[in-house]
Each structure stands twice: as structure tokens, then as C-alpha cells.
């Protein structure tokens, strides 16, 4: 029986390993660096119901989630607000991450072998292919290594340069965030809009949020692209508290700094004996860093491709990448173009775009859910009337929308079969587009 080693017990692994093992055709081993009781995060995150419903996967257990409320977006000057009105049945679920992971581990453990508190350090490469992983002094051999160990994967870094797989992301492709639930300040009143996201907070490259949690605490995030120096954090926390007096200094959950990938998916996710998935393949929505639904979708695609072809060779694995790109990866290429433009946009321009309604509920809802921002000709003319005073900015917005569409088209033009030359050419076009 062929052996597959999964590195990292993220949601992608928990879904794919279970499916592959349950077929009875593969032996699956999961290596996870954390102890079982410390897996994932000690808080809830927002995941769309589609992650479960569309993939026919078990819903989180009752009592481990609630329906998230609509976002209110606030531009840098803080003198405008856009509150979304996504209907209740389409809103994300805020799900306890650790409990969801534990539910999926229990579901898989009769067929999958888990080794917790085991960190994989590097890939073992022999004869020009990956043949396993090294964990401390131990060598673990396998027919395929599935890398689910995150954006800064040590395994990906240990691939040879000529694999064509990106080994390290650029600094500005990583979002560094403080996340904590703070005790609500005694005597403070509740804000009218509960989920408040500050875009380019203080004019800096990143966001902050303050969300009044149903538990009564306040969910705080302060994140900046590329890094979060101590001074930046202290200033941002002070400013966030001034705008949201319900935040106290006392932390009740979390309180850690984490790294989230915010770029389009890897141009190459596969090599001989190796495949990347989830954050390790940069599958988050580039605009907001949400990745759980994408990881679960990718896991279903990977398992399906392997089981259908009954093969682990790179020609088969390439089909996984093709299907992922056609499913959503290509769209995320377009979203990445928009994200780069917004991050480079002057704070005053962002203020103006939101105040004038040039970027309104529809556009913000698309951005927040990883969809393409679309503007028809009629809509664009309407916006032109509202924004004639800033024609240059509108032209720039129109150009970026065009480029965003071009990026998505390029993503969909992924070579449909494994052809080294065609893939290298496609990859070069992508590099040029984002240069
Ligand atoms: C503050 C914050 C808020 C977020 N909010 C949301 C949200 O609301 N919605 C959403 O969809 N996403 C959110 N995300 C992103 C989301 O957490 C990730 O996209 C998602 O968890 C990726 O899943 P994955 O399957 O790639 O595995 P991951 O969750 O990345 O899991 C990787 C696993 O690999 C393990 N590991 C790492 N290195 C090794 C190694 N060398 N050896 C063995 N094990 C290793 C880790 O311990 C971890 O368990 C958020 C992330 C952060 C940090």
C-alpha cells in the first residue's frame, strides 16, 4: 500500500487524509508539531457554510459556533462607515477553531495515524525527488509528502531551486497580526455596529478591528503587512481603544502574534513526491487572509484527483492544481491585484472612495468574500459623475479592475496537462504581471 505523509494537522490535512485513508488504498500518517490539546487556535474564526455544505463535510457541532454579524468598514480618517447588509443565511459562521479541529481528528483517527508533538524539519530528497521527511533524527519515508505546514513552511524551503516551487514569500506577502479577546471595559456602552474594521488604520499598510463578541469580550486584531513593530502596535492599540472605549487592557483569550499569507496561490504546488496545500500553497483570500474554506475545498480536490487516477505522480498531482485554479485560485489572482492597489492607495484616496460611495457595500462585500470586484459601464459612468473631481484616481481604479480581470484570465489559462515548458511560460507571465 502506498504511503502518504501529511505535515501539519490543519483543516486541509484533516479532510484529505481521512478521505484517502478511508478508501483503503493509502496508508496515511499525520505529523503535527503541537500537542493534541494545543492544536489550531483557542478562538473562533469565520468560515462560510459552503466549506461544509458544498464539500459534503460534517457541520461543526452545535454549541461550537454562532452566526457572524455584518462588517462595518471604516476608512483611515474615520469620518465615514460602510456597513454591509449580507442576509443572515449567507453570513459566515464564527466557529471555535480548536473544537472544529478536534471534531475532525476524532472523525479521522480510526483510519489515519496521528503523531502529535512531532515537528518535521525538512524534506528528504533523493534521486531528484522527495522521498520523505526528516523529524529530528528520524527519517520517515513516503511515496508522497503533503505539505500543510503553513506559509513559512520549512519543507518548501528545503526544495531545490529548480523545482520551480516558491520557497519563501516576499515580506509584503505576509500579514503580521496581533489577535486577542479583551475583557469589556466595565461601564462602557455597546457600539451600534458591532464588527468594526479599520482599513489602513492610522494610514498604515494594514487593518485593525474591534468586534464586540457575543461572549461579552472584545475581539481585537491589529495587523500590518510585512511586520508589526512594537511601536506600531502600541500606537494602533491606543488609537483603537480611543475609538472603541469598550476595549480594556485585560486579555481573556489569545494575545499572540501570527502570520497570515496574503498573496495569490503558488504558481507551482507540486513536484515529484511533493504537494503543497492550504496556507503552505498560499490559498487564503489575498484581500483578507481567510483560508479555512479554501483549504477544505483544496483537500477535497486533492483526494478526488488521487483516488480517481489511483496515482501519486506529478502529472496526476498537477490536475489538483489545475482544478483548484479553475475553482477559485484564478479569481484570487485577480483579487491579489486589487489588494496590491488598495495597499498602495493613499489614505486620503481611500477616505474619498468610501465617503463618495464609489466603493460601496457591493464592492466591499465582494472584497471581503474573495470575489472579483465588478463594475459595469453604466455603474462606472454613474461613479464618474460622483467623482469627476478626482478623475485620475477613477482612471487608476478602472485600470486596476482591468488588470485584475487580466490576472484572473491568466490564472484560468493554466496549462491543463503537465508540460514543463508550458508551465514555465505560464509562471513567467504571472511573475511579470505582479512585478
Ligand atoms: C489571527 C488569524 C485570524 C484568522 N481568521 C480567519 C477567519 O476568520 N477565517 C478563515 O477562513 N481563516 C482565517 N485565518 C486563516 C486560517 O487560520 C488559515 O488560512 C487556515 O488555518 C489554513 O489552514 P491549513 O489547512 O493550511 O492549516 P493551518 O491551519 O495553517 O495548520 C498548519 C498546521 O501545521 C503545523 N505545523 C507547522 N509546521 C510544522 C512542522 N514543521 N511539522 C509539523 N507540523 C507543523 C501547525 O502547528 C498547524 O497545526 C486566520 C488566521 C489568523 C492567524
Amino acid at each position: 500500500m502506498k504511503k502518504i505523509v501529511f505535515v501539519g494537522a490543519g483543516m486541509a490535512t484533516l479532510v484529505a487524509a481521512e478521505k484517502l485513508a478511508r478508501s483503503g488504498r493509502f496508508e496515511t500518517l499525520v505529523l503535527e508539531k503541537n500537542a493534541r490539546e494545543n492544536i489550531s487556535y483557542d478562538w473562533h474564526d469565520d468560515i462560510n457554510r459552503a466549506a461544509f455544505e458544498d464539500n459534503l463535510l460534517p457541520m461543526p457541532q452545535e454549541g461550537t459556533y454562532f452566526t457572524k454579524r455584518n462588517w462595518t468598514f471604516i476608512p483611515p480618517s474615520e469620518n465615514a462607515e460602510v456597513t454591509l447588509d449580507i442576509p443572515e443565511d449567507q453570513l459566515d459562521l464564527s466557529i471555535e477553531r480548536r473544537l472544529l479541529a478536534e471534531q475532525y481528528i476524532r472523525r479521522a483517527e480510526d483510519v489515519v495515524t496521528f503523531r502529535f508533538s512531532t515537528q518535521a524539519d525538512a524534506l528528504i530528497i533523493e534521486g531528484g525527488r522527495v522521498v520523505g521527511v526528516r523529524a529530528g533524527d528520524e527519517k520517515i519515508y513516503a511515496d508522497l509528502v503533503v505539505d500543510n505546514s503553513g506559509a513559512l513552511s520549512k519543507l518548501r524551503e528545503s526544495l531545490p531551486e529548480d523545482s520551480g516551487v516558491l520557497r519563501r514569500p516576499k515580506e509584503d506577502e505576509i500579514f503580521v497580526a496581533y489577535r486577542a479577546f479583551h475583557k469589556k471595559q466595565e461601564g462602557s456602552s455597546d457600539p451600534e455596529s458591532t464588527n468594526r474594521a479599520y482599513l489602513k488604520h492610522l494610514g498604515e499598510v494594514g487593518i485593525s478591528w474591534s468586534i464586540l463578541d457575543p461572549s461579552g469580550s472584545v475581539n481585537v486584531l491589529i495587523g500590518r503587512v510585512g511586520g508589526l513593530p512594537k511601536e506600531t502596535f502600541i500606537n494602533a492599540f491606543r488609537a483603537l481603544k480611543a475609538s472603541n472605549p469598550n476595549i480594556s487592557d485585560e486579555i481573556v483569550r489569545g494575545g499572540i502574534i501570527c502570520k497570515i499569507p496574503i498573496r495569490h496561490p503558488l504558481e507551482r504546488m507540486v513536484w515529484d513526491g511533493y504537494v503543497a496545500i492550504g496556507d503552505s500553497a498560499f490559498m487564503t483570500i489575498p484581500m483578507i487572509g481567510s483560508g479555512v474554506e479554501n483549504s477544505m475545498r483544496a483537500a477535497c480536490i486533492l483526494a478526488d484527483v488521487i483516488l480517481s487516477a489511483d496515482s501519486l505522480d506529478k502529472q496526476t498531482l498537477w490536475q489538483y492544481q489545475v482544478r483548484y485554479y479553475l475553482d477559485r485560485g484564478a479569481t484570487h489572482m485577480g483579487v491579489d491585484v486589487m489588494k496590491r492597489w488598495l495597499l498602495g492607495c493613499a489614505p486620503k484616496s481611500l477616505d474619498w472612495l468610501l465617503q463618495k460611495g464609489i466603493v460601496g457595500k457591493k464592492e466591499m462585500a465582494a472584497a471581503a468574500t474573495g470575489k472579483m470586484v465588478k463594475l459595469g459601464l453604466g455603474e462606472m459612468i454613474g461613479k464618474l459623475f460622483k467623482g469627476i473631481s478626482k478623475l485620475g484616481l477613477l482612471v487608476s481604479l478602472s485600470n486596476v479592475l482591468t488588470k485584475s480581470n487580466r490576472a484572473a484570465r491568466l490564472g484560468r489559462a493554466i496549462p491543463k496537462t503537465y508540460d514543463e515548458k508550458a508551465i514555465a511560460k505560464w509562471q513567467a507571465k504571472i511573475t511579470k504581471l505582479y512585478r
Side-chain angles (χ1 to χ4, degrees):
M1 197 187 285
K2 287 197 169 154
K3 180 171 173 181
I4 306 178
V5 170
F6 290 79
V7 178
M11 288 308 290
T13 285
L14 298 179
V15 170
E18 193 267 348
K19 280 181 182 288
L20 290 163
R22 205 160 295 286
S23 73
R25 287 190 262 157
F26 297 96
E27 181 191 341
T28 59
L29 169 67
V30 175
L31 307 178
E32 166 56 49
K33 73 174 178 189
N34 284 328
R36 181 167 179 164
E37 61 276 17
N38 292 330
I39 197 164
S40 194
Y41 297 106
D42 171 32
W43 59 53
H44 51 73
D45 278 324
D46 307 332
I47 306 174
N48 200 274
R49 289 159 210 270
F52 307 96
E53 292 173 357
D54 292 2
N55 295 314
L56 306 177
L57 290 167
M59 287 293 287
Q61 277 160 355
E62 281 301 320
T64 64
Y65 66 92
F66 61 89
T67 305
K68 179 201 164 81
R69 283 162 291 185
N70 267 301
W71 279 117
T72 295
F73 292 104
I74 300 150
S77 68
E78 299 190 23
N79 57 11
E81 290 190 0
V82 176
T83 299
L84 305 187
D85 48 15
I86 300 174
E88 169 113 7
D89 61 345
Q90 289 167 34
L91 284 169
D92 285 351
L93 303 176
S94 283
I95 304 171
E96 288 293 337
R97 294 288 304 268
R98 190 159 287 161
L99 298 182
L100 179 67
E102 178 55 32
Q103 178 187 337
Y104 272 66
I105 292 169
R106 276 202 309 275
R107 171 174 175 266
E109 67 187 341
D110 64 321
V111 284
V112 175
T113 307
F114 286 93
R115 277 180 61 184
F116 294 97
S117 307
T118 306
Q119 176 166 317
D121 301 313
L123 295 164
I124 306 171
I125 298 171
E126 287 173 6
R129 59 170 290 127
V130 172
V131 294
V133 291
R134 215 168 30 74
D137 293 337
E138 195 183 353
K139 284 181 169 176
I140 300 166
Y141 286 91
D143 298 286
L144 178 68
V145 174
V146 180
D147 181 0
N148 186 213
S149 65
L152 302 175
S153 162
K154 291 268 172 249
L155 306 190
R156 221 180 47 238
E157 228 172 87
S158 67
L159 280 169
E161 195 167 352
D162 65 10
S163 65
V165 180
L166 178 81
R167 291 182 297 173
R168 271 193 84 76
K170 296 194 184 97
E171 223 180 48
D172 64 2
E173 294 175 332
I174 299 290
F175 184 72
V176 183
Y178 164 85
R179 176 87 184 276
F181 287 66
H182 284 248
K183 193 170 178 191
K184 195 176 144 193
Q185 187 68 50
E186 270 177 43
S188 63
S189 51
D190 291 349
E192 220 169 90
S193 54
T194 51
N195 293 37
R196 303 175 64 75
Y198 295 77
L199 306 174
K200 292 199 97 157
H201 189 211
L202 304 179
E204 292 163 3
V205 188
I207 62 162
S208 300
W209 76 47
S210 163
I211 302 176
L212 180 61
D213 196 66
S215 67
S217 58
V218 188
N219 168 356
V220 170
L221 177 136
I222 295 170
R224 298 294 181 265
V225 174
L228 184 63
K230 200 171 167 197
E231 271 305 294
T232 307
F233 167 72
I234 291 171
N235 282 339
F237 186 61
R238 200 180 292 132
L240 199 64
K241 270 182 70 174
S243 304
N244 298 273
N246 58 356
I247 305 174
S248 79
D249 286 335
E250 194 181 329
I251 296 173
V252 291
R253 281 180 107 173
I256 58 170
I257 304 279
C258 352
K259 295 188 172 156
I260 309 174
I262 45 160
R263 54 156 274 158
H264 57 279
L266 281 182
E267 295 88 347
R268 279 195 204 226
M269 302 174 184
V270 305
W271 197 54
D272 288 294
Y274 172 90
V275 60
I277 197 163
D279 279 16
S280 186
F282 300 92
M283 288 177 168
T284 52
I285 298 172
M287 191 74 88
I288 51 159
S290 287
V292 180
E293 182 188 346
N294 302 331
S295 290
M296 291 167 74
R297 180 79 198 128
C300 292
I301 294 174
L302 179 65
D304 192 40
V305 163
I306 292 177
L307 291 173
S308 307
D310 205 12
S311 157
L312 299 174
D313 62 25
K314 81 179 162 195
Q315 287 74 13
T316 299
L317 297 174
W318 182 253
Q319 291 310 311
Y320 145 75
Q321 177 168 340
V322 171
R323 278 184 51 189
Y324 183 78
Y325 259 78
L326 298 181
D327 190 84
R328 60 194 63 198
T331 302
H332 293 166
M333 279 185 58
V335 173
D336 192 6
V337 170
M338 281 302 296
K339 177 215 77 186
R340 285 163 198 250
W341 183 80
L342 271 175
L343 289 178
C345 182
K348 275 192 174 158
S349 301
L350 191 56
D351 281 335
W352 183 83
L353 288 170
L354 262 85
Q355 277 161 6
K356 288 276 177 187
I358 308 274
V359 173
K361 288 183 189 185
K362 186 171 74 102
E363 291 79 20
M364 289 308 297
T369 51
K371 304 208 172 67
M372 296 284 281
V373 175
K374 288 188 184 138
L375 288 177
L377 185 63
E379 251 178 303
M380 204 61 207
I381 291 170
K383 290 190 191 285
L384 198 64
F385 271 112
K386 283 194 210 172
I388 200 81
S389 61
K390 286 206 191 291
L391 200 56
L393 182 60
L394 282 189
V395 171
S396 169
L397 176 62
S398 168
N399 286 343
V400 81
L401 288 171
T402 307
K403 185 171 175 184
S404 169
N405 280 320
R406 206 166 71 231
R409 270 202 309 278
L410 180 56
R412 284 192 295 274
I414 180 172
K416 304 297 179 291
T417 52
Y418 191 89
D419 171 341
E420 208 37 78
K421 267 194 186 155
I423 294 172
K425 211 168 145 194
W426 178 70
Q427 198 166 1
K429 281 186 189 167
I430 297 178
T431 307
K432 194 170 161 207
L433 186 114
Y434 289 105
R435 195 176 290 147

